[in-house]
Amino acid sequence: MGSSKRRAADNSRGGSSTDHLHTLLQRLKHALSLGTTRVSDDKERKWKCTDLEIQKHVVRSLAAFLDSSSGHASTHRLLKDSLADIVEALVWILHCKSEAIVGMAVNVVVKLVSSNSSMMQLYLTDLINPLSSLLCSNNLEVATSCATALNMVLSNLSVKREKQVWEIVKEAKTLIQIIRIIREFPGVTQPIENFQEMVSLLYTILWQWPPSRYFVWKDTILIKVLEDSHIKSHLSTKVAVLKLCSALALCNKVAKELLGNGETILTMMISCMDVSEPLAVRIEGFRLAQHLVADEQRCIKMTSLCSGPLIKAIIGGMRVWRLGSGKGVNDLVSLLDEACRLALITRWPGEHHNHFWEQGIDKVLLDLLLENFDKQASEHTLTPQAPISIAQQGLDTNFLIALRPYIWEIFGWLAVHCRKDFRPSTDRTELYIDMLITCACLSFVEAICKGCQISENDDTSRSESSSRAVLVMMHSSSTYIASKVRLILSGVLEIKGNECLKRLLYLLDYGSSANNFGSANIPKTVVELVCLICYSGLPEYQKNVTRGDGIRTLVTSIRRCLSNGVCTSRRSFALHFYHNVFYERTCCWMTAEEWEGKDALLFYSLWGLAELVQHSSDTDHSHIKSNLIKTVQEVLDNVSAPGPRWLAANILSYFGVYGFPNKHDKGFGRALEDKEHTDLQLLFANGESVSVHKIILAVQCPSLLPPEQFPQSAKTTDNFLVKDVPRKCCPMLRKEVRFSARVDQQALLKLLDYVYFGYVEAGEDLARKLKTLAKSCNMQPLYLMLCRKIPQWGTPIPSSDFTDALGPLGFQDIILEAEETEKMPWACSFCSLLLPHMHAHKFILQSRCKYLQALFLSGMQESHSQSIKGSCELGSINQVSSIDL
């Protein structure tokens, strides 16, 4: 009975509330009607009213309605029909700039936008111009409210309207006004709230519109004001200034200059990340650091300046959970998330890795993975099975589960970049590392057991990150980590390893079938591929892995990746690593292609195939050999990423091909047959010889040239360079290099094939001799392929970069002259010619540029000239020379 009465009372209050809202809406409509006038022969009605009392009536009526409708379900429905009239009236009132009403009108705009952002999308652009014009109001309260309102309007814009709004912002000179106000702040008495709102508004503009960033950055007075205000001001101002710096750093050019002027910005950033600062300041400090180290070159720059303090701050942020009792859980998790994101700088090699280990990263990661591990370890007798039991119990509690992908990512990269002789420094450190490996291996088994149940992004991210961590640890350059993970994984798989493998092979075969091959299944298939590669690294499972149709399945998967034209990058499902709006807002930033490329399925299919071919016999793949080789060759012909190309080259090495054959690039193969431009003879002990080019050997295999073949200085008169001879190049005097009988002629000729063509074919016996020669000549890429080793993560593809050939190496035989359009100072280190020019190599130009090849073979006067004049500027000469590189 009592509950029925309460429901009736609630319904009565609800009904009266709705009635009151309708009454307020009618008053608002009536107020709006008082200012509506007819224009264009009664065909259109516009709100135009200069009567101050009517304006006040409209604003107060709207304020009363919005105050009463806050949280009311029917607000949107009631406002919908009148919204156009309301915005039109507000725009007119703001343009009137009446001091008696404008402050109240601006506050109403804030309420209207904040409570009805989705409905307001069509009308937000109308408010920008009038609000911008009020930013410089002498009434500081009005100016501050305008900044707040404008910030809210811009923050709620849909992406598709951003281009249109940027034009409005430029036309209204909003950016210029904001900068002027901030610059004047130190010299006038203003409330700090006004400064904060202006900085916050400027941040919003910088975040959304890239063209504004460098313009703001170049205003040195503004930047100095921001730096000073950060030092002198309190919490809210620090947060606002840090956010503004983060938005500036979205521009690659600005970020580089920020690091170039490093001391001020880095000192500020590191101090804000310190444990003594409030959580809000630390969070923004970490975000700024992430923006500044967004690529490898910037990471190298920053860590060269402050590696120790930076890593100390990161570790401090990752320890916040243990030290943060009594604080807001959400804030602690946010700080942890930002600190872990910044710790992903471990994906790049460098001195900072040593600092991570010195700061106890192993213990920090374990504390984020297992709650109270030290207590559990002290309560258990550490039998061989105890670590597995402790790890499984800890993982089952789902402690800080959202952070697990970060943990595996960080630990995996630390393992990738470890030194070969790395070992834990203490028994306790060894225990922590072993527990981390154990947890990764248990998560690996869980990923297989989940199999086709993986569907949600969070599950995929956790499964992919843990299994990938196991994979990269198995291939770590650290002997300790690589051997330890194999030992622990074998122990974890001891009970149901074969059962899991059987399931894994079934899932892979099912996923690669034509009916199931698609983008929806690719993340799951990638996890399965990673697990299969890990299995193939354990000797006890290798026969079972290669016995089935694994090779055929992987070749089919690679062919589909090459033919379907749709790439699924790791970015699309490793959300912990890539899902950050930062990447969507950057500008002036040409990102280098990830080592594994844009297609995760292709990369791991190739890695899996490389492992299976390594552990299989000829009979295991004889039935598919021709299709396999053809498929792998297509990868080398069509894929540019280093990782897939290295894996393809590794696979071909098992079929007697060593290097990177490419139908689109034959290297300098034709030059080996060109006797006219050779300038060196290699003489063998049996009297036979081969003609080569000094510059090719100097760049590609300098070990074949005696030291005296290299000119010490371009100004030195010797056998290769003639001092101060304008318009003439160095005479090509033929030289000889004699080899002793200990140098195998066949092996050396094959080495030259690799130098000129980029690959070589050799049988097993000759490959062994070539391997010895490649090692003694320091030809590391060739030696690696002859050893049939999968390269370390990040190993670059050997390039035919002839940039150095344009410098002090010498051997140039032709001059490219630019037609001088204006007098400019010019000095050459090779000769005394004062015109802009460049010394180059005729046969390289001929090999790389069809136009110049036709010119040199034409028989015309220019084809025999030692210099070529062009009606181009020096920049064009550099462009022509880039063909040479």
Side-chain angles (χ1 to χ4, degrees):
M1 177 71 74
S3 63
S4 299
K5 287 182 178 179
R6 279 195 299 273
R7 280 197 299 272
D10 289 342
N11 289 336
S12 175
R13 282 195 295 271
S16 63
S17 173
T18 303
D19 291 342
H20 179 60
L21 209 57
H22 275 284
T23 301
L24 292 175
L25 181 61
Q26 292 305 315
R27 288 179 185 171
L28 173 60
K29 288 181 176 180
H30 176 262
L32 289 169
S33 69
L34 296 176
T36 304
T37 59
R38 290 185 177 87
V39 295
S40 304
D41 299 327
D42 297 339
K43 293 181 181 177
E44 187 180 358
R45 296 172 66 83
K46 287 282 187 182
W47 205 93
K48 291 184 177 182
C49 179
T50 56
D51 189 307
L52 183 59
E53 292 306 315
I54 293 177
Q55 291 181 3
K56 287 181 179 179
H57 185 32
V58 168
V59 172
R60 287 168 180 163
S61 299
L62 179 56
F65 177 80
L66 292 174
D67 289 340
S68 297
S69 65
S70 178
H72 205 286
S74 61
T75 305
H76 292 287
R77 177 174 53 80
L78 293 173
L79 264 182
K80 187 176 181 181
D81 294 338
S82 303
L83 202 54
D85 294 333
I86 291 171
V87 172
E88 192 175 34
L90 286 173
V91 168
W92 176 268
I93 293 168
L94 292 172
H95 271 308
C96 289
K97 298 182 181 180
S98 172
E99 289 189 13
I101 188 61
V102 72
M104 192 189 305
V106 172
N107 291 331
V108 166
V109 170
V110 173
K111 290 180 184 178
L112 183 64
V113 175
S114 61
S115 59
N116 302 276
S117 57
S118 58
M119 250 196 340
M120 283 290 293
Q121 280 299 318
L122 290 174
Y123 309 100
L124 290 177
T125 54
D126 298 329
L127 293 165
I128 295 171
N129 207 302
L131 288 172
S132 296
S133 68
L134 288 165
L135 285 174
C136 53
S137 170
N138 293 327
N139 186 325
L140 291 178
E141 188 177 336
V142 170
T144 303
S145 297
C146 275
T148 304
L150 194 54
N151 199 358
M152 191 165 291
V153 167
L154 298 179
S155 299
N156 282 284
L157 281 174
S158 63
V159 175
K160 64 182 180 181
R161 290 184 175 272
E162 286 183 2
K163 187 175 180 180
Q164 173 195 359
V165 171
W166 173 239
E167 295 302 320
I168 298 173
V169 168
K170 283 197 298 183
E171 185 179 341
K173 298 184 178 178
T174 308
L175 193 59
I176 294 172
Q177 291 185 64
I178 298 169
I179 291 173
R180 182 183 60 77
I181 294 168
I182 295 175
R183 286 175 59 171
E184 292 174 353
F185 179 75
V188 296
T189 304
Q190 291 186 25
I192 193 66
E193 291 77 17
N194 180 263
F195 179 79
Q196 290 170 5
E197 288 299 334
M198 292 298 171
V199 171
S200 180
L201 175 57
L202 183 56
Y203 159 77
T204 300
I205 293 174
L206 293 174
W207 177 261
Q208 294 186 213
W209 290 288
S212 63
R213 294 166 191 163
Y214 199 71
F215 176 79
V216 171
W217 165 246
K218 295 311 289 183
D219 193 312
T220 54
I221 298 176
L222 172 72
I223 299 301
K224 184 67 170 64
V225 169
L226 293 173
E227 289 173 356
D228 292 344
S229 65
H230 178 272
I231 295 169
K232 300 172 185 175
S233 300
H234 50 67
L235 172 63
S236 299
T237 306
K238 278 189 175 183
V239 171
V241 172
L242 284 168
K243 290 178 72 173
L244 186 58
C245 292
S246 293
L248 284 170
L250 291 170
C251 173
N252 183 47
K253 194 172 182 181
V254 172
K256 285 182 175 179
E257 291 186 18
L258 276 167
L259 290 173
N261 305 330
E263 284 190 26
T264 303
I265 186 70
L266 293 183
T267 301
M268 179 184 81
M269 180 192 76
I270 295 293
S271 68
C272 289
M273 295 159 66
D274 191 77
V275 294
S276 62
E277 291 287 348
L279 289 178
V281 173
R282 296 179 72 190
I283 288 170
E284 293 305 327
F286 278 109
R287 286 174 179 164
L288 172 58
Q290 289 170 37
H291 290 195
L292 289 174
V293 293
D295 65 27
E296 184 172 1
Q297 293 307 311
R298 278 155 49 180
C299 177
I300 291 171
K301 178 66 175 177
M302 182 185 284
T303 52
S304 70
L305 295 170
C306 60
S307 182
L310 176 66
I311 305 312
K312 182 180 178 181
I314 293 173
I315 294 296
M318 295 174 72
R319 282 185 173 138
V320 70
W321 189 264
R322 297 295 180 194
L323 306 174
S325 57
K327 298 182 180 179
V329 173
N330 290 339
D331 287 340
L332 289 176
V333 171
S334 295
L335 179 59
L336 267 174
D337 186 80
E338 300 301 338
C340 288
R341 281 188 188 276
L342 184 54
L344 292 175
I345 60 172
T346 50
R347 65 188 181 272
W348 297 306
E351 187 63 26
H352 55 288
H353 280 260
N354 293 334
H355 287 116
F356 270 111
W357 290 114
E358 290 167 4
Q359 291 284 339
I361 185 65
D362 44 282
K363 176 66 163 65
V364 171
L365 291 175
L366 193 60
D367 283 342
L368 294 176
L369 191 63
L370 303 178
E371 193 172 18
N372 302 319
F373 166 72
D374 286 328
K375 182 181 178 183
Q376 286 180 296
S378 63
E379 293 173 352
H380 283 72
T381 303
L382 289 182
T383 62
Q385 291 301 315
I388 295 178
S389 174
I390 293 172
Q392 190 63 68
Q393 289 176 23
L395 292 174
D396 288 344
T397 64
N398 291 336
F399 174 64
L400 294 176
I401 193 168
L403 295 180
R404 287 188 187 175
Y406 292 118
I407 295 169
W408 300 134
E409 198 75 38
I410 295 164
F411 191 50
W413 287 121
L414 287 167
V416 165
H417 298 300
C418 265
R419 299 187 314 273
K420 184 178 177 63
D421 60 352
F422 169 85
R423 287 192 65 84
S425 56
T426 65
D427 291 342
R428 202 66 184 170
T429 300
E430 183 173 1
L431 174 63
Y432 295 146
I433 292 175
D434 289 358
M435 282 303 300
L436 283 168
I437 293 173
T438 302
C439 289
C441 291
L442 288 169
S443 299
F444 167 90
V445 174
E446 182 186 10
I448 300 174
C449 293
K450 282 185 177 180
C452 57
Q453 298 173 13
I454 297 174
S455 57
E456 296 297 326
N457 283 332
D458 286 346
D459 283 343
T460 305
S461 194
R462 285 195 292 272
S463 299
E464 188 269 348
S465 60
S466 61
S467 54
R468 183 180 174 280
V470 173
L471 172 61
V472 297
M473 284 191 285
M474 291 179 75
H475 290 82
S476 171
S477 52
S478 163
T479 305
Y480 172 82
I481 291 180
S483 58
K484 182 67 75 170
V485 73
R486 284 179 167 85
L487 178 65
I488 293 175
L489 184 58
S490 293
V492 170
L493 289 171
E494 189 173 0
I495 297 176
K496 51 182 181 180
N498 283 311
E499 178 188 339
C500 287
L501 177 59
K502 185 177 179 181
R503 173 177 174 78
L504 187 61
L505 291 170
Y506 166 76
L507 289 171
L508 272 172
D509 185 58
Y510 175 81
S512 67
S513 65
N515 293 333
N516 300 298
F517 188 87
S519 57
N521 293 321
I522 284 176
K524 179 178 70 68
T525 305
V526 165
V527 175
E528 293 158 2
L529 279 169
V530 171
C531 294
L532 180 68
I533 300 167
C534 293
Y535 259 109
S536 66
L538 301 175
E540 61 267 38
Y541 297 103
Q542 285 167 0
K543 284 187 179 179
N544 290 339
V545 169
T546 58
R547 189 179 297 155
D549 283 339
I551 292 178
R552 178 189 59 78
T553 298
L554 292 175
V555 170
T556 301
S557 175
I558 293 167
R559 292 204 69 81
R560 289 209 174 109
C561 288
L562 292 171
S563 62
N564 68 7
V566 178
C567 298
T568 302
S569 66
R570 189 169 180 240
R571 185 186 297 264
S572 64
F573 54 84
L575 302 183
H576 61 285
F577 193 22
Y578 294 107
H579 190 61
N580 191 326
V581 288
F582 161 76
Y583 290 100
E584 300 166 10
R585 291 288 182 179
T586 54
C587 66
C588 308
W589 193 30
M590 295 294 291
T591 56
E593 188 171 18
E594 299 284 350
W595 192 75
E596 64 266 43
K598 298 176 182 176
D599 195 333
L601 185 58
L602 174 65
F603 176 72
Y604 288 111
S605 295
L606 282 164
W607 196 340
L609 183 59
E611 289 284 350
L612 294 192
V613 170
Q614 177 186 352
H615 300 299
S616 64
S617 63
D618 291 342
T619 55
D620 290 328
H621 49 66
S622 58
H623 62 294
I624 199 174
K625 178 178 177 180
S626 61
N627 190 30
L628 188 158
I629 294 174
K630 180 182 177 183
T631 300
V632 172
Q633 181 60 59
E634 283 187 37
V635 173
L636 290 171
D637 290 341
N638 298 294
V639 178
S640 60
R645 288 177 62 78
W646 263 116
L647 292 168
N650 176 265
I651 294 166
L652 286 183
S653 69
Y654 291 94
F655 301 96
V657 180
Y658 305 92
F660 302 89
N662 189 322
K663 70 179 182 181
H664 304 301
D665 183 6
K666 300 299 182 182
F668 291 98
R670 286 177 296 183
L672 196 55
E673 303 167 1
D674 175 18
K675 306 300 181 185
E676 182 181 353
H677 293 101
T678 58
D679 54 356
L680 185 68
Q681 274 200 319
L682 305 181
L683 300 177
F684 300 104
N686 62 4
E688 295 183 8
S689 66
V690 60
S691 298
V692 295
H693 306 81
K694 286 179 189 173
I695 190 60
I696 294 289
L697 296 188
V699 173
Q700 300 288 70
C701 187
S703 300
L704 289 180
L705 292 177
E708 63 269 17
Q709 293 287 343
F710 291 92
Q712 296 302 309
S713 169
K715 288 287 185 181
T716 300
T717 301
D718 56 22
N719 291 330
F720 309 105
L721 298 174
V722 178
K723 182 179 180 182
D724 296 336
V725 182
R727 297 181 179 271
K728 292 184 179 180
C729 293
C730 312
M732 303 308 295
L733 301 177
R734 188 174 296 277
K735 293 293 176 180
E736 298 175 349
V737 174
R738 294 181 180 273
F739 293 104
S740 70
R742 289 177 297 175
V743 177
D744 186 278
Q745 181 177 345
Q746 280 186 304
L748 184 57
L749 291 173
K750 286 295 181 182
L751 184 67
L752 290 175
D753 279 349
Y754 176 79
V755 166
Y756 276 82
F757 288 94
Y759 74 98
V760 62
E761 296 183 41
E764 290 294 328
D765 292 338
L766 187 52
R768 279 192 290 272
K769 297 176 183 178
L770 182 56
K771 182 164 68 173
T772 302
L773 184 59
K775 185 177 182 180
S776 63
C777 288
N778 199 30
M779 299 283 285
Q780 278 300 116
L782 177 59
Y783 178 73
L784 190 66
M785 285 178 278
L786 289 162
C787 291
R788 291 170 176 160
K789 289 184 178 179
I790 291 177
Q792 289 297 314
W793 194 283
T795 303
I797 295 292
S799 66
S800 299
D801 184 0
F802 279 74
T803 305
D804 291 340
L806 299 175
L809 281 178
F811 316 129
Q812 295 93 335
D813 61 349
I814 193 167
I815 293 176
L816 302 176
E817 289 185 31
E819 183 176 315
E820 195 170 18
T821 55
E822 60 182 55
K823 291 292 181 182
M824 59 182 295
W826 186 265
C828 178
S829 58
F830 290 91
C831 68
S832 59
L833 187 62
L834 297 178
L835 295 174
H837 68 281
M838 183 169 286
H839 295 264
H841 307 83
K842 197 169 186 177
F843 92 92
I844 295 182
L845 294 176
Q846 183 172 314
S847 301
R848 293 300 197 190
C849 177
K850 290 183 178 179
Y851 171 79
L852 293 175
Q853 181 185 54
L855 177 65
F856 294 145
L857 299 177
S858 67
M860 295 189 296
Q861 181 179 353
E862 290 87 348
S863 63
H864 304 293
S865 175
Q866 288 186 323
S867 65
I868 298 178
K869 295 181 180 180
S871 56
C872 56
E873 297 180 358
L874 183 59
S876 301
I877 291 183
N878 285 321
Q879 188 174 5
V880 171
S881 300
S882 69
I883 303 169
D884 190 357
L885 308 183

